[in-house]
Amino acid sequence: LIILILLFSRTVIYNRYIIKIRNSIRNIKIYLASIKTQKKKLLEIFLFAVIIWMFYAVKAHFIFKDSNFSLSFLQVMSITFISYFIAMMPISIGGVGTFEIAMLTLLYPFALPQTNVLYAVMLFRFITYWLFFIISTIYILLRKLLIQLRNKNV
C-alpha cells in the first residue's frame, strides 16, 4: 500500500511539473510568434537591452575613472561585457565570484595597483548587484510582514 501511494504521488507530482513545463514552452512559442510579426516591438526590445547594458559599462567607467585607472571607455566596456558573459556560465549562483574573478583577470594585464583594482571591482559589483539584492530583500520581507499584519487585523 505504501509503495502504491509513493508511486501515485510521484506520478502526480511528475505530471504537474510536465504540465507546467509544457505550458511555459507553449507561452514562449506564442510570444516568439508574436514578436516575429511585430518587428517594431523587437527593435524596441533590442534597443532597450542595449541601453541597459551600456549603463553597466558607464557605471564601470566612472568607478574606474574615480580609481585613477587610465583605461578608455572601450576597454572598460569590453572588460565589463566579457566579465558578465563569463558570469552567465552556470558555475555559481548569480555569477557571484565568477564575475569578480573574470574582471580581476581581465584587468591584470594593465598593470594597475591590485588593491585599487580589487576595490573598484568590489564597488562596481556592490552597486550593480548587491545593493539591489539587499533593497529587494528588504522590500520582500516588509511586504510579507505587512500582509501578515493585515491578515491578523481582518
Side-chain angles (χ1 to χ4, degrees):
L1 180 65
I2 293 173
I3 292 173
L4 288 174
I5 291 172
L6 288 173
L7 287 173
F8 178 74
S9 63
R10 182 175 175 203
T11 304
V12 169
I13 292 170
Y14 176 76
N15 287 340
R16 188 178 307 158
Y17 285 115
I18 292 296
I19 291 169
K20 285 184 180 182
I21 291 170
R22 285 184 181 154
N23 287 340
S24 296
I25 291 171
R26 182 177 44 93
N27 290 339
I28 290 170
K29 284 181 179 179
I30 291 169
Y31 181 72
L32 290 175
S34 71
I35 286 179
K36 284 181 184 178
T37 60
Q38 300 175 3
K39 302 288 184 195
K40 184 180 176 187
K41 188 70 169 175
L42 183 61
L43 181 63
E44 288 174 7
I45 292 170
F46 177 76
L47 290 176
F48 188 65
V50 168
I51 290 169
I52 290 172
W53 277 101
M54 290 308 293
F55 276 132
Y56 285 110
V58 169
K59 283 188 265 186
H61 180 68
F62 283 127
I63 290 172
F64 290 168
K65 192 172 188 169
D66 186 54
S67 299
N68 294 323
F69 297 164
S70 58
L71 300 172
S72 70
F73 180 74
L74 184 62
Q75 290 171 322
V76 172
M77 183 178 68
S78 300
I79 290 168
T80 304
F81 292 166
I82 292 168
S83 297
Y84 271 111
F85 296 149
I86 291 170
M88 287 182 194
M89 293 180 203
I91 298 170
S92 65
I93 298 171
V96 175
T98 311
F99 172 83
E100 290 82 0
I101 295 297
M103 190 168 262
L104 289 171
T105 303
L106 291 169
L107 286 168
Y108 184 77
F110 294 99
L112 302 167
Q114 290 302 302
T115 53
N116 292 2
V117 170
L118 183 61
Y119 164 77
V121 169
M122 298 312 281
L123 179 63
F124 177 70
R125 189 60 165 175
F126 178 78
I127 290 171
T128 58
Y129 184 81
W130 291 108
L131 181 64
F132 292 102
F133 178 79
I134 292 167
I135 291 170
S136 300
T137 302
I138 291 170
Y139 172 78
I140 290 168
L141 292 174
L142 288 175
R143 184 175 170 160
K144 285 185 177 188
L145 181 65
L146 286 173
I147 290 171
Q148 287 178 351
L149 289 174
R150 284 183 193 156
N151 290 339
K152 283 183 181 181
N153 292 337
V154 173

